Amino acid sequence: MYLSDRFISASEKMCEYDVFVPAPYFRKNVIIDGNAEKAEMSVCGLGFYRFFLDGEELTRGFLSPYISNSDDIVDYDVYDLTDRLTEGRHVLAFTLGNGMQNAFGGYVWDFEKAAFRSAPKLAFCLEITGKDGKTSRIEADESVKTFPSPLLCDDLRYGEYYDANAEVTGWNTVGFDDSGWKPSVAVPSPKGKKQVCAANPIVVTEERKPVIIGEKTVKMKLAKEPFTGILYDFGLSTAGIPRLKIDGKKGQKIEMYFGDCCINGELQLDNISFPRDEYRDMPLYVQKDTYICKGEKGETWEPSFTYHGFRYVLVCGLEPEQIREDLLTYKVMNTSLPVRGGFSCSDEVLNRLQRMTEVADLANFWHFPTDCPHREKNGWTGDANFSAEQMTILFETDNNYTEWMKHICASMDEKGAIPGIVPTGGWGFNWGNGPAWDKVLTELPYVIYRYRGKKEIVENTLPYLLKYVKYLSTRTDEKGLIAIGLGDWVAPKGVRVPLVFTDSVLSMDICRTAAFLMRECGRDADADYCQSVADGLMKAVRDNLIDHERCTAISCFEDDPWRGCQSSQAMGLYYGVFTEEEKNRAFTVLLDRLREENDHLDTGVLGLRVLFRVLSDFGYTDYALRIVTDPAAPSYGEWVARGETALCEDFNGFDALGKAEVAANSLCHHFMGDISAWMISELGGIRYNPDGNDINKAVIAPKFARSLTHAEAFHICPKGRIDVKWERKGRTVVCSISVPEGMYGEIRADLNTHCGGKTVLPLLSGEYIFKEC
């Protein structure tokens, strides 16, 4: 399909905080003769677009086509209009939003300084093939008419300002009089590579009704004075848009503030904004939509080019008779991701955590994984790295990971470094990246290759991955170690493990995985090189960061740096830093550090990502479950105990009075969600393609935890569905296993159990009776 590079705009004037520039309407009249055999159209609207044909909306998905740095990649959508473009007159109509092309609300990350920044721009090409095989094209040019829409201001992060009094009836229909409209302006084409977007679209997945809480206030540090409104509670912290339905009075202003935290009746906005003194003079546009009524009964409106992460909405400007439950509907949205896995068991805390993981994963998947759906909406590479496995086990992420990896690779600089957020306008190279975050370069290709058996994402990434490994080799110090990025993020009591340890160990793992992927694609020489870098890092870590007598890894404890901490011990064990002879003693030290904290977590996200897996590997699954489900902070169980509905950003708790040592941050974050992958692989026992290179192989090895009476898990792999269900009956466990035909592998008994005297059996569907030894 031809992708036109002829772009138009309404003008070159950009929307700003204090200068509103309405989202533009565009329309093009076309006449189709009777010779047309096929009609296809490609569309690129930067930042976002909505497309209408003869008044009917056909837009592929919400926030189409994508969110990108248009100097790197420019995405198009393609429409087959063959059955719609009959002989006669038609009108192609569009409206554009600022999106990432003019992300002035992203000033924290310098998006207002991005070189690609511009007013919204549009390109399209209607390609018509006649019955004689000849092709004609209609492209965007100055003949396309434009007019300001009622959407006076829109920003991806902050929200929209819509004046219904400026609506233009019939603007996108055939026969509309556009004689008062202006011609479009030709503008430069973006510099990025033109391509058809391969990502799944963003869709509505649910509509939720609220409960009215009553008149409440908003708490926001930078607000000059408190403001009040009617608080609506939708019962779930997720992401999407509101649908407003109101019998409005002409000129009435309705303001809606969206948030995920409410304490003592006050909607909290500081946890999803940046309440810094330098931003004191900025407008309070944090997740705010404004609607100006036109004075009609049953006025209905919903945003076009923004979305919000929220559970609560505070609505200001309502008359008493307008306070109704049907005033707002929550249109929950996310990328269309078919379900591929799940878990449930006899423990409701674990079931809640599974659901909270699913909610957080989906709420933060808008074309690609974001860190949070409210405060930032950024594609943080580290967050995606930490969650890649759980998301791929639970959902079909293939297309969107493959698409986003193209953008990640395109963001790489000439040295081989990648930024901490993608897309970016240049922010994230000097801070916000480093090996723990950059590991996304190996993790996304690896999980898609392992769980879906697809090589495209691997082959596309390998040249950039090799460049990155070479870049890492230039960042070592005189000892061969690396310390260049972010460390053990959001540790509840402060970071316990030195950056030089986490960066060096994770760099080693990046190089190992790179070597594996290189070899799988027949690039043996490159694989050998990557492995040699990994080996060098391993030696440097063991020579400088391990106490071989005590079997400890270095920590940040001032009194004794060599006593080891939860993160350094767990990471050292998980990533193979300790030798076989050292592992048991190293694990004993890990247990000591956990017990010193009264069986509570003292890790950041890097240690947390591997801690429970290590405990299970050493036969301590029941102990891990006790840590997970403990209702006292810091723990996952505390989130459940205080009523959270999605995973949170950290373990900073608050009580019913909102008191805490450290304030809570985002209450809808996915990067601690490996808890779900752990439950499926350990409690459910599904270890699909454990070696990473055979999609026909699986190992089923459920841990029959004493604290559970039953558990079940499933995963849909390329061969079909794998199901494992087990139930404890006294000293016996009945386990039902179902695997697709043609799959092979092993069934492994849990510690101190056997099946007919055997601890390993060939993988076959059936019911198995395990007895305690």
Side-chain angles (χ1 to χ4, degrees):
M1 179 67 195
Y2 177 73
L3 305 179
S4 174
D5 62 357
R6 297 173 63 175
F7 280 80
I8 58 171
S9 292
S11 75
E12 295 187 4
K13 188 176 182 180
M14 291 184 285
C15 193
E16 305 277 359
Y17 289 113
D18 51 356
V19 180
F20 287 1
V21 177
Y25 282 153
F26 295 92
R27 54 178 283 128
K28 170 71 174 178
N29 293 304
V30 297
I31 298 176
I32 305 298
D33 61 29
N35 184 49
E37 181 77 14
K38 183 179 181 181
E40 285 188 317
M41 188 172 72
S42 60
V43 179
C44 176
L46 299 174
F48 305 129
Y49 75 90
R50 294 176 65 184
F51 164 50
F52 305 82
L53 176 63
D54 301 338
E56 179 183 359
E57 182 161 14
L58 301 180
T59 315
R60 179 173 176 262
F62 193 66
L63 304 188
S64 286
Y66 200 69
I67 299 174
S68 70
N69 174 337
S70 59
D71 276 352
D72 289 339
I73 295 178
V74 183
D75 283 288
Y76 291 68
D77 289 328
V78 174
Y79 297 87
D80 185 347
L81 304 179
T82 303
D83 295 335
R84 295 177 179 272
L85 287 180
T86 56
E87 183 175 2
R89 290 172 56 85
H90 298 274
V91 62
L92 309 175
F94 308 86
T95 181
L96 299 186
N98 288 302
M100 188 57 68
Q101 193 65 19
N102 179 27
F104 56 88
Y107 57 86
V108 176
W109 308 276
D110 296 339
F111 281 112
E112 85 285 4
K113 302 173 185 176
F116 60 81
R117 186 185 177 200
S118 75
K121 56 179 66 177
L122 170 70
F124 66 82
C125 177
L126 175 60
E127 192 169 78
I128 301 172
T129 303
K131 295 176 182 177
D132 57 3
K134 295 182 179 180
T135 298
S136 60
R137 292 171 178 165
I138 299 173
E139 299 182 63
D141 58 21
E142 292 91 333
S143 68
V144 177
K145 294 291 193 71
T146 185
F147 194 81
S149 80
L151 182 52
L152 304 186
C153 177
D154 68 276
D155 179 77
L156 173 63
R157 291 174 176 82
Y158 282 172
E160 297 190 355
Y161 192 113
Y162 186 93
D163 187 350
N165 299 280
E167 289 178 347
V168 182
T169 303
W171 71 274
N172 53 11
T173 61
V174 176
F176 174 79
D177 182 6
D178 60 10
S179 59
W181 290 33
K182 295 181 178 180
S184 301
V185 177
V187 293
S189 175
K191 298 177 182 178
K193 177 184 176 182
K194 276 68 173 176
Q195 66 169 32
V196 175
C197 182
N200 293 358
I202 295 168
V203 297
V204 177
T205 58
E206 181 187 3
E207 293 195 356
R208 297 182 68 87
K209 301 298 182 183
V211 173
I212 299 175
I213 303 299
E215 185 171 274
K216 301 296 178 180
T217 62
V218 164
K219 184 176 182 180
M220 189 175 184
K221 181 179 178 181
L222 296 185
K224 293 180 174 61
E225 59 184 33
F227 44 97
T228 62
I230 304 302
L231 187 67
Y232 286 75
D233 180 1
F234 287 90
L236 186 70
S237 183
T238 182
I241 61 173
R243 181 172 63 227
L244 173 69
K245 183 179 181 181
I246 187 171
D247 295 341
K249 298 181 179 180
K250 189 173 181 64
Q252 181 182 6
K253 179 187 286 188
I254 305 299
E255 296 177 310
M256 293 165 278
Y257 296 85
F258 303 83
D260 67 355
C261 182
C262 187
I263 301 176
N264 291 339
E266 289 185 325
L267 179 65
Q268 312 291 305
L269 293 182
D270 284 345
N271 73 310
I272 59 169
S273 60
F274 290 88
R276 302 171 184 168
D277 287 340
E278 61 264 37
Y279 303 144
R280 185 167 294 278
D281 295 327
M282 291 289 193
L284 299 181
Y285 288 159
V286 178
Q287 289 214 130
K288 176 184 177 182
D289 288 338
T290 302
Y291 178 80
I292 309 299
C293 300
K294 57 186 174 183
E296 294 183 2
K297 187 174 182 179
E299 296 181 49
T300 301
W301 174 82
E302 57 191 50
S304 293
F305 302 121
T306 191
Y307 73 97
H308 306 298
F310 66 100
R311 169 177 173 171
Y312 304 97
V313 185
L314 189 85
V315 185
C316 303
L318 293 175
E319 301 288 341
E321 67 275 9
Q322 295 170 330
I323 303 172
R324 300 164 50 95
E325 285 191 0
D326 64 355
L327 177 82
L328 294 177
T329 300
Y330 196 157
K331 298 183 71 173
V332 179
M333 306 175 81
N334 51 258
T335 294
S336 177
L337 299 175
V339 173
R340 287 290 176 264
F343 174 83
S344 64
C345 68
S346 56
D347 188 317
E348 274 308 304
V349 173
L350 298 182
N351 292 339
R352 285 275 303 278
L353 289 171
Q354 174 64 28
R355 175 59 181 151
M356 289 161 67
T357 302
E358 294 165 356
V359 170
D361 284 356
L362 292 174
N364 282 287
F365 215 117
W366 289 68
H367 292 311
F368 46 77
T370 60
D371 62 319
C372 55
H374 30 57
R375 185 185 65 227
E376 300 190 30
K377 297 183 172 71
N378 281 320
W380 278 96
T381 55
D383 299 52
N385 163 41
F386 308 140
S387 294
E389 185 167 12
Q390 104 227 2
M391 286 191 175
T392 303
I393 290 174
L394 294 175
F395 304 106
E396 189 174 296
T397 58
D398 318 15
N399 293 338
N400 288 72
Y401 277 171
T402 301
E403 175 66 37
W404 192 43
M405 275 304 301
K406 297 176 186 176
H407 295 256
I408 294 172
C409 292
S411 73
M412 182 174 282
D413 69 12
E414 67 281 355
K415 296 180 295 184
I418 63 171
I421 59 172
V422 177
T424 181
W427 188 95
F429 284 98
N430 296 325
W431 186 90
N433 57 353
W437 270 242
D438 303 346
K439 196 169 179 288
V440 72
L441 278 169
T442 53
E443 192 68 8
L444 294 194
Y446 176 76
V447 297
I448 293 300
Y449 184 56
R450 175 183 172 183
Y451 287 99
R452 309 306 300 164
K454 296 182 177 180
K455 268 190 178 180
E456 178 190 2
I457 186 173
V458 178
E459 292 170 339
N460 290 343
T461 306
L462 288 187
Y464 300 91
L465 189 48
L466 180 61
K467 185 176 181 179
Y468 181 78
V469 172
K470 291 179 178 179
Y471 160 73
L472 279 181
S473 68
T474 70
R475 298 305 306 270
T476 56
D477 62 16
E478 67 281 0
K479 297 179 180 178
L481 300 168
I482 295 177
I484 60 175
L486 298 182
D488 202 16
W489 199 247
V490 296
K493 296 183 179 180
V495 177
R496 304 298 199 196
V497 56
L499 177 64
V500 68
F501 182 84
T502 55
D503 266 6
S504 297
V505 169
L506 293 175
S507 293
M508 176 187 69
D509 189 65
I510 288 171
C511 294
R512 281 178 178 168
T513 306
F516 170 81
L517 295 174
M518 296 285 182
R519 214 169 296 285
E520 287 297 298
C521 292
R523 298 177 58 157
D524 290 344
D526 292 334
D528 290 343
Y529 169 74
C530 293
Q531 187 60 53
S532 70
V533 178
D535 293 344
L537 286 163
M538 170 66 93
K539 184 177 186 305
V541 169
R542 286 190 54 77
D543 286 350
N544 297 281
L545 305 179
I546 300 296
D547 184 324
H548 300 281
E549 290 187 7
R550 299 165 69 180
C551 296
T552 56
I554 194 169
S555 71
C556 293
F557 293 116
E558 293 184 1
D559 60 332
D560 182 4
W562 294 105
R563 66 194 301 262
C565 64
Q566 291 182 19
S567 287
S568 64
Q569 293 302 112
M571 292 179 67
L573 288 162
Y574 184 82
Y575 293 109
V577 174
F578 293 110
T579 65
E580 287 298 322
E581 294 74 21
E582 296 168 336
K583 282 183 177 181
N584 286 335
R585 288 184 63 195
F587 182 72
T588 299
V589 174
L590 173 60
L591 292 179
D592 290 343
R593 297 296 86 79
L594 285 163
R595 288 163 179 158
E596 286 174 359
E597 297 295 328
N598 296 315
D599 304 329
H600 281 82
L601 298 169
D602 192 21
T603 73
V605 69
L606 303 185
L608 188 67
R609 175 63 176 78
V610 302
L611 175 63
F612 302 125
R613 294 173 180 267
V614 170
L615 289 174
S616 286
D617 285 346
F618 280 82
Y620 278 70
T621 296
D622 277 289
Y623 182 53
L625 283 173
R626 195 162 82 232
I627 296 171
V628 169
T629 58
D630 194 314
S635 73
Y636 286 91
E638 192 268 340
W639 291 347
V640 174
R642 75 179 189 221
E644 299 302 341
T645 59
L647 300 183
C648 303
E649 182 176 5
D650 52 45
F651 292 116
N652 298 336
F654 53 85
D655 60 23
L657 298 178
K659 296 179 180 178
E661 293 182 4
V662 184
N665 286 304
S666 163
L667 303 184
C668 188
H669 238 71
H670 62 87
F671 72 171
M672 292 190 185
D674 189 65
I675 186 78
S676 172
W678 172 74
M679 289 190 290
I680 290 171
S681 64
E682 298 297 334
L683 301 179
I686 300 176
R687 301 180 184 181
Y688 175 66
N689 191 5
D691 301 320
N693 58 2
D694 189 346
I695 61 172
N696 297 308
K697 182 180 179 180
V699 171
I700 305 300
K703 301 291 195 301
F704 304 134
R706 289 283 183 181
S707 58
L708 303 180
T709 59
H710 63 85
E712 58 184 90
F714 77 92
H715 176 63
I716 302 173
C717 66
K719 295 286 291 184
R721 180 171 171 133
I722 303 171
D723 277 286
V724 177
K725 300 178 182 180
W726 62 262
E727 182 177 5
R728 184 182 302 281
K729 297 181 178 181
R731 295 173 60 85
T732 298
V733 176
V734 179
C735 184
S736 175
I737 298 172
S738 176
V739 296
E741 186 177 351
M743 180 163 284
Y744 76 99
E746 295 177 345
I747 300 171
R748 297 176 186 170
D750 195 7
L751 291 174
N752 302 316
T753 68
H754 66 88
C755 180
K758 298 180 180 180
T759 57
V760 178
L761 299 94
L763 180 58
L764 295 170
S765 296
E767 185 173 275
Y768 297 83
I769 309 298
F770 292 89
K771 296 183 178 181
E772 295 181 3
C773 297

